C-alpha cells in the first residue's frame, strides 16, 4: 500500500514507515492515557509524505485520493485542499463528534548548502543542482469536537484514541471520503 512506501528513502525527512512509527507512538500514548488527568478533548495528528517523481506525478497521485476535487494534474500548481468531515464517535461516548480534518498538497523541496566562511566573509547559500524532491503531503488532525461539554470518560480514552487512529488510517488508505 502507499502508506508502506512513506519511508524517507528518497531524502525526505521521516520518522520511518507510518505503520512502524504508529506502533511506537500508539504504545506510548496508550500508556500515558492510563495515568492522564481528566480530559475534555483528545486528538491524533500525523504528517505523511509519499515521494513522487515530479510535481505532475504528485498531482496525479493526489487526484486518486481526492475523489470529488477536479483539477488537471498536468497544469495544476499550488494546490492546497483542506476539509473537515465530522462523524459521530463510535466509542460509546454519547453525543461526541469527531473532526476529521485533512490537508492535501504536493510539496517541492530542494537541498540547500550553506557555506560558512571566515569571520569577515558572510555565509554563502547555494542550491544543489538536481536535488529537487517532490512528495504528496497529507496532514491529519483527527480530534474530538470542541463543543463537547463533558469530561471524556477515563475508561473510554484508549478506545477513543484507537478510534481516532482508525479514522486517520481510513483517510490515508481511502482518501477524502465523507
Amino acid at each position: 500500500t502507499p502508506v508502506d512506501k512513506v519511508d524517507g528513502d528518497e531524502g525526505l525527512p521521516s520518522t520511518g514507515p507510518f505503520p512502524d512509527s504508529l506502533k511506537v507512538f500508539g504504545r506510548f500514548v496508550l500508556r500515558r492515557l492510563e495515568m492522564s488527568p481528566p480530559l475534555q478533548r483528545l486528538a491524533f495528528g500525523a504528517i505523511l509524505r509519499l515521494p513522487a517523481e515530479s510535481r505532475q506525478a504528485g498531482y496525479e497521485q493526489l487526484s486518486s485520493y481526492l475523489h470529488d476535487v477536479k483539477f488537471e494534474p498536468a497544469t495544476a500548481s499550488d494546490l492546497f485542499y483542506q476539509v473537515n468531515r465530522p462523524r459521530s464517535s463510535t466509542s460509546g461516548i454519547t453525543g461526541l463528534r469527531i473532526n476529521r480534518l485533512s490537508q492535501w498538497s504536493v510539496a517541492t523541496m530542494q537541498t540547500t548548502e550553506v557555506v560558512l566562511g571566515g569571520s569577515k566573509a558572510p555565509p554563502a547559500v547555494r542550491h544543489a543542482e538536481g536535488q529537487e524532491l517532490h512528495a504528496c503531503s497529507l496532514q491529519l488532525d483527527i480530534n474530538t469536537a470542541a463543543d463537547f461539554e463533558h469530561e471524556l470518560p477515563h475508561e473510554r480514552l484508549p478506545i477513543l484514541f484507537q478510534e481516532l487512529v482508525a479514522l486517520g488510517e481510513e483517510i490515508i488508505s481511502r482518501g477524502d471520503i465523507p
Side-chain angles (χ1 to χ4, degrees):
T1 67
V3 172
D4 295 329
K5 295 180 189 174
V6 182
D7 59 8
D9 286 344
E10 287 77 12
L12 298 172
S14 174
T15 59
F18 178 72
D20 295 344
S21 296
L22 182 59
K23 279 182 199 169
V24 173
F25 178 72
R27 284 193 305 261
F28 173 80
V29 170
L30 289 172
R31 283 193 309 267
R32 295 309 173 266
L33 287 175
E34 291 174 3
M35 56 187 149
S36 75
L39 301 176
Q40 278 194 287
R41 297 197 71 194
L42 188 61
F44 168 74
I47 300 173
L48 293 96
R49 292 194 180 92
L50 180 62
E53 293 289 322
S54 65
R55 179 181 52 87
Q56 180 178 343
Y59 282 121
E60 288 170 2
Q61 182 68 40
L62 211 57
S63 69
S64 69
Y65 290 101
L66 302 177
H67 312 292
D68 295 328
V69 178
K70 304 298 178 214
F71 62 93
E72 181 56 47
T75 58
S77 69
D78 303 311
L79 173 73
F80 180 84
Y81 178 70
Q82 176 176 302
V83 64
N84 182 17
R85 302 223 185 246
R87 286 196 186 156
S88 294
S89 175
T90 60
S91 66
I93 303 172
T94 305
L96 183 62
R97 305 248 330 132
I98 305 290
N99 292 315
R100 298 168 51 243
L101 183 67
S102 60
Q103 298 173 348
W104 306 81
S105 63
V106 173
T108 301
M109 294 155 273
Q110 185 172 26
T111 302
T112 301
E113 178 181 3
V114 177
V115 180
L116 301 175
S119 61
K120 294 180 182 176
V125 177
R126 293 191 292 243
H127 295 287
E129 292 297 320
Q131 295 298 317
E132 196 168 78
L133 303 171
H134 303 275
C136 294
S137 179
L138 170 60
Q139 293 187 42
L140 297 173
D141 180 1
I142 315 298
N143 62 79
T144 59
D147 62 358
F148 186 71
E149 297 178 356
H150 308 288
E151 185 179 304
L152 296 170
H154 193 267
E155 70 279 359
R156 290 265 176 229
L157 292 178
I159 293 166
L160 179 57
F161 176 73
Q162 291 168 342
E163 178 182 9
L164 300 178
V165 169
L167 290 170
E169 290 175 318
E170 178 184 58
I171 293 169
I172 292 166
S173 64
R174 297 184 57 203
D176 177 39
I177 56 171

